[in-house]
Amino acid sequence: MLDDRAAAHDGAERLPAGLHRRPTMADVATRAGVSRTLVSLIFSNKPGASDETRDRVLQAADDLGYRLDRAARMLARGRSRTLGVLIDVHQTFQADLIGTVYAEAEAAGYEVLLSASAPTRDEHKAIEALLSHRCEGLILLGPLSEVDYLRTLADRAVVTVVGRALPHTAVDTVRTADAKGIRQSVEHLVELGHREIVHVDGGADPGSPERRRAYLAAMRRHDLSDHIRVIPGQHSEAAGVAAANTLLAEDRLPTAVLAGNDRCAIGLMDVFTRAHVDVPGDISIVGYDDSHLAQLSQIDLTTVRQDTEGLARHAVQFAIGRLENDDLGPQDFVIDPHLVVRGTTGPARS
């Protein structure tokens, strides 16, 4: 208690004479010997002050105990130390990454700002909002933007993309070995006796081309070329619903469906359940992501687990590493997935 009082007394002695209140910007200006307008410019990181004056004003603020918020203090020193994260509001898998992003960034002394894309909000608008808030680094979760835009974006900020390969760019990437996950899924189904394995792909969504190619390669590897079938879709429940309705309208169901992601798989399951098609007795379903929904007991989805903590942790480390060291070259980190077998897959019906 004595030390605290001494510290408080010492702080009071450093205030301007007669000041017995919380210090203001005007007090900082008086102590630094500059105008209040100049102090405001410095705190807003606007031009108009020399480095020597800037340092003197910031020191005066520290001496007086002026409570400039952390973000403003970083701006005043020319750094925002803020990472902007793009997220799709409909992708539950992306939401699972956010907790680790916050923890990793805050441990390194960085703030995190989220901006969401949605059917009513263009992805470019969401990204530009992050830049307008002076985010030094951008972590883009599954971006759909064209490569040329992402390439020019890297000239404006440090950019790390999660879930998509971007060769020949200055963008760091962190992604899952999608081909390995699909290969594990097909092998699992083949071991259960399945031959008629349909793939509902994710269209232009991130990771979809790799997963589609892996499905084709795995089917051929197991001499199942005659049973290859790809139904165009998206990473959404609606795509799963549409694919299930297409299959139900045909004379005969396949024995298994490999969905582009968990959301698509859940859409498939919903339609089949309503139509009294037994999963997995009549048809097996495999998803991709192992989002938290897949783990619910009512869903119990066999799916490919992506390492959400690993993806998020490396994305933050790449972004901060590049901010702290301009000499680093582009990095591409690939993390292995693994198949989690639950209740939606079983032996092929006879």
Side-chain angles (χ1 to χ4, degrees), residues 3-217:
D3 291 341
D4 291 341
R5 289 174 180 169
H9 179 70
D10 182 61
E13 288 179 346
R14 288 186 275 112
L15 294 177
L19 184 61
H20 299 289
R21 51 173 170 73
R22 180 177 176 178
T24 66
M25 197 176 293
D27 298 325
V28 175
T30 298
R31 187 174 184 87
V34 299
S35 69
R36 185 188 181 286
T37 300
L38 188 56
V39 171
S40 178
L41 289 174
I42 290 172
F43 286 167
S44 301
N45 197 37
K46 294 179 180 177
S50 66
D51 290 341
E52 186 273 333
T53 300
R54 184 182 301 274
D55 291 341
R56 190 167 77 251
V57 167
L58 293 173
Q59 185 61 53
D62 288 338
D63 291 345
L64 292 173
Y66 179 77
R67 294 189 177 182
L68 179 64
D69 66 75
R70 188 169 182 269
R73 190 176 295 279
M74 289 300 102
L75 284 173
R77 289 182 165 88
R79 291 286 307 278
S80 70
R81 295 188 73 85
T82 302
L83 302 178
V85 180
L86 171 73
I87 184 172
D88 184 333
V89 294
H90 289 305
Q91 295 298 343
T92 54
F93 169 71
Q94 294 182 14
D96 291 343
L97 298 169
I98 296 301
T100 301
V101 168
Y102 270 110
E104 195 72 21
E106 290 173 355
Y110 281 74
E111 301 289 347
V112 174
L113 183 65
L114 300 181
S115 186
S117 62
T120 56
R121 192 176 194 231
D122 178 73
E123 183 172 290
H124 289 192
K125 184 176 182 179
I127 293 172
E128 293 300 324
L130 293 172
L131 292 172
S132 72
H133 284 83
R134 296 185 57 84
C135 292
E136 293 184 288
L138 300 178
I139 297 176
L140 311 181
L141 305 182
L144 301 175
S145 296
E146 59 277 8
V147 174
D148 286 344
Y149 172 74
L150 296 175
R151 184 178 287 113
T152 59
L153 196 61
D155 294 331
R156 304 166 62 191
V158 167
V159 180
T160 304
V161 165
V162 178
R164 181 176 169 186
L166 290 170
H168 314 302
T169 68
V171 175
D172 292 324
T173 51
V174 182
R175 55 195 174 90
T176 297
D178 286 317
K180 182 173 291 188
I182 294 297
R183 185 165 62 248
Q184 292 173 2
S185 301
V186 173
E187 289 175 352
H188 168 64
L189 292 170
V190 170
E191 289 173 357
L192 290 171
H194 294 275
R195 296 176 61 80
E196 300 171 62
I197 305 170
V198 172
H199 177 46
V200 183
D201 81 357
D205 288 345
S208 299
E210 292 83 0
R211 296 174 195 180
R212 183 168 53 249
R213 287 193 296 268
Y215 161 77
L216 297 174

